[in-house]
Amino acid sequence: MAAKNRNSVAADPDTPGATGGSPYPPRTQRSGRGGYGDPPRHALRKPPNDNAYLAADDLVFAYAPGAPVLQGLTMALARGRLACILGPNGSGKTTLLRILVGLLVPAEGRVRLAGTPLEQYPRGALARRVAYVPQETLAAVGFTALETVLMGRSPHTGALGFESTGDWHAAREALRRTDTERFAQRGLEDLSGGERQRVIIARALAQEPDVILLDEPTSFLDIKHQHGIYGLLRRLVTEEGKTVVAVSHDLGLAAAYADRLVLVDEGRVAAAGTPQEVIRPEVLSPVYETPVEVRTDEATGRPYVLPRPPA
């Protein structure tokens, strides 16, 4: 494939997947990185997909004067897909997610949802279409898990904010789907970090959005509930046509469940495509600055990563 354009790389939703892996490349010095070869050269260079359901065009963002966190980042995702945003610490993943949901405004560029710039959506309309699950949640003192999940229904309640029978049903169904029914009457502050995280995901489900954005949704969970959450996200996509975008540090879970991966490095898209295209040693090693070994799961045909200790 063509060399990577550092200023504009689209996560093309219709690019067919490659298969297999590639031999680990020779290490060559990259200026300023002390690292493992030049930037990935296989990243997709197609222009942004104007028909994408969720797209970011040339985003630039900085929290303070100086080097921006995002530097001309461009990506595009089709509707009804599960996408994972990957990348090392400090690469801009959480910032990107907060811009996609409208919590942060980029200095340059824009986000489009269903072809419409995000800033043109009324606040209530956007809340009915997009749900956000942050990485860290503070316990709402005095509220039970059920009451917390019911808050997700606020975009659907009338001006007086009274919940209907349907709202209560949606909240209880969301608790059931996240295996948190037994916590319904417990205070959120009394739950463990993992239990609380699943309740917050239930709140997002109760919102009944078209798009769900999650920042490290399994960071506090044991392996059973990690697969339970990603299995739920997978079903939301395949059975209900939801569009789900999750930031993840877990390359294995992302490769096992996602349709599309977007690898972010230093505020730009370093690579984007199917798991088979992105989970490759020559792609991951320069970005994470560590050697990796990639194998293929014989049962699923999907790649998985094994760390390779430095020589």
Side-chain angles (χ1 to χ4, degrees):
M1 294 190 182
K4 180 177 72 174
N5 181 335
R6 294 287 288 176
N7 293 320
S8 179
V9 183
D12 181 14
D14 297 315
T15 301
T19 57
S22 296
Y24 186 74
R27 287 181 57 176
T28 56
Q29 183 71 25
R30 180 161 61 147
S31 176
R33 299 299 297 270
Y36 292 80
D38 294 326
R41 301 184 59 84
H42 82 294
L44 308 181
R45 296 185 59 225
K46 295 184 180 181
N49 186 348
D50 290 335
N51 296 319
Y53 190 61
L54 182 63
D57 303 327
D58 297 317
L59 298 182
V60 175
F61 181 87
Y63 289 100
V69 178
L70 300 183
Q71 306 183 60
L73 185 147
T74 293
M75 56 174 275
L77 299 171
R79 187 171 190 173
R81 301 287 177 89
L82 171 54
C84 284
I85 300 173
L86 309 174
N89 292 332
S91 58
K93 303 184 299 298
T94 293
T95 298
L96 171 59
L97 204 68
R98 290 171 65 85
I99 290 176
L100 292 178
V101 77
L103 294 177
L104 295 176
V105 178
E108 298 178 25
R110 63 175 23 172
V111 174
R112 292 177 287 114
L113 175 62
T116 300
L118 211 61
E119 65 269 18
Q120 294 184 16
Y121 282 91
R123 187 181 183 92
L126 185 61
R128 287 188 291 273
R129 300 192 69 165
V130 181
Y132 173 60
V133 179
Q135 182 178 1
E136 295 182 3
T137 57
L138 298 177
V141 177
F143 290 97
T144 66
L146 176 58
E147 290 168 337
T148 300
V149 174
L150 193 61
M151 294 176 188
R153 297 299 301 167
S154 59
H156 301 277
T157 58
L160 297 178
F162 294 124
E163 297 88 2
S164 67
T165 301
D167 294 325
W168 284 94
H169 174 77
R172 291 189 177 278
E173 176 64 12
L175 287 169
R176 184 192 66 79
R177 296 171 79 180
T178 53
D179 190 28
T180 53
E181 285 179 292
R182 61 188 181 278
F183 308 137
Q185 301 307 321
R186 288 178 59 182
L188 199 63
E189 69 273 16
D190 296 328
L191 303 180
S192 69
E195 293 165 347
R196 187 162 56 243
Q197 183 74 348
R198 284 187 284 138
V199 170
I200 300 303
I201 293 174
R203 184 178 66 182
L205 296 183
Q207 196 171 325
E208 297 183 330
D210 296 326
V211 180
I212 303 176
L213 305 175
L214 309 97
D215 192 359
E216 290 285 351
T218 61
S219 58
F220 299 108
L221 304 183
D222 58 46
I223 188 169
K224 170 188 174 182
H225 287 106
Q226 286 178 351
H227 284 280
I229 290 299
Y230 269 94
L232 171 61
L233 299 180
R234 181 74 261 168
R235 292 191 298 275
L236 290 173
V237 169
T238 58
E239 298 174 7
E240 301 181 21
K242 305 288 187 185
T243 302
V244 178
V245 182
V247 165
S248 179
H249 275 296
D250 194 318
L251 300 178
L253 281 173
Y257 288 95
D259 300 304
R260 291 290 178 268
L261 301 179
V262 179
L263 181 64
V264 178
D265 183 26
E266 296 182 340
R268 301 181 177 93
V269 173
T274 63
Q276 289 86 351
E277 291 172 317
V278 176
I279 304 298
R280 300 166 70 92
E282 68 272 25
V283 177
L284 299 177
S285 291
V287 171
Y288 287 97
E289 300 184 17
T290 190
V292 299
E293 180 179 347
V294 175
R295 298 181 183 177
T296 300
D297 188 318
E298 295 182 358
T300 66
R302 288 180 175 251
Y304 64 95
V305 176
L306 294 174
R308 176 185 286 180

